[in-house]
Amino acid sequence: MQATWAAIGAVLLVGFLIILCTACVYFTQVYVLCPGWGPVRHFDCEAGLPVKVGSFRPAENILPVEPELTKAYGTLGKPTWGSIQAPWERSEKQLHPIYGEIIVRPGFCDTQHLRAESSWWARDEPYYLDKIHTQLQPLVINDTFDTTRPMI
């Protein structure tokens, strides 16, 4: 079926009228007359004195929090996906001449080896496919066959 110019014009006209009506309602603020659509003018109850004072001086209500030094990934805490680390791996703080205080992790190469040999730890798939000399079919746009890659 081919659309006629009259049908296209009718659709465009209806769309333009909807946009025009919406703009008129917005700019004339007629929606304020509908119940529930106006600004909040009345609250359920009057706030007490401590709430009012606290809202004027918020910095005094905040207690200082000491940062926790834990052995965790990022700031999330204990990872939900598990962890693989060499038991002798440790973190040492050192002073770097350019970057200041840094954390060095001696034994991390052993952790990397454990993760590479693990059957369930997530790996860099293209690196390991290249490492075992596996050649995949080149990806071509608009292929009709399945081009999913096998998971390692």
Side-chain angles (χ1 to χ4, degrees), residues 108-149:
F108 185 68
C109 59
D110 299 325
T111 297
Q112 286 179 317
H113 179 72
L114 286 173
R115 291 175 179 176
E117 297 298 323
S118 172
S119 62
W120 61 271
W121 189 260
R123 296 187 235 171
D124 184 12
E125 183 180 354
Y127 170 77
Y128 284 100
L129 288 175
D130 191 35
K131 186 176 177 181
I132 60 175
H133 305 295
T134 302
Q135 299 249 337
L136 297 174
Q137 296 176 348
L139 297 177
V140 181
I141 198 163
N142 297 332
D143 274 344
T144 57
F145 57 90
D146 186 24
T147 59
T148 58
R149 295 182 179 192

Side-chain angles (χ1 to χ4, degrees), residues 34-95:
C34 298
W37 281 85
V40 176
R41 294 191 176 107
H42 181 271
F43 295 98
D44 292 336
C45 65
E46 184 68 27
L49 184 62
V51 175
K52 289 180 180 179
V53 171
S55 65
F56 289 117
R57 293 183 283 175
E60 294 176 4
N61 298 330
I62 299 173
L63 298 175
V65 177
E66 295 293 326
E68 293 183 23
L69 297 175
T70 59
K71 187 177 181 181
Y73 180 80
T75 58
L76 299 176
K78 186 176 179 182
T80 58
W81 56 87
S83 65
I84 297 180
Q85 288 185 336
W88 50 87
E89 181 188 334
R90 63 188 188 282
S91 298
E92 295 178 355
K93 292 184 179 181
Q94 292 183 356
L95 191 60

Side-chain angles (χ1 to χ4, degrees), residues 18-34:
I18 290 174
I19 292 173
L20 184 66
C21 289
T22 304
C24 287
V25 168
Y26 177 76
F27 288 116
T28 59
Q29 295 184 359
V30 175
Y31 60 90
V32 177
L33 300 175
C34 298

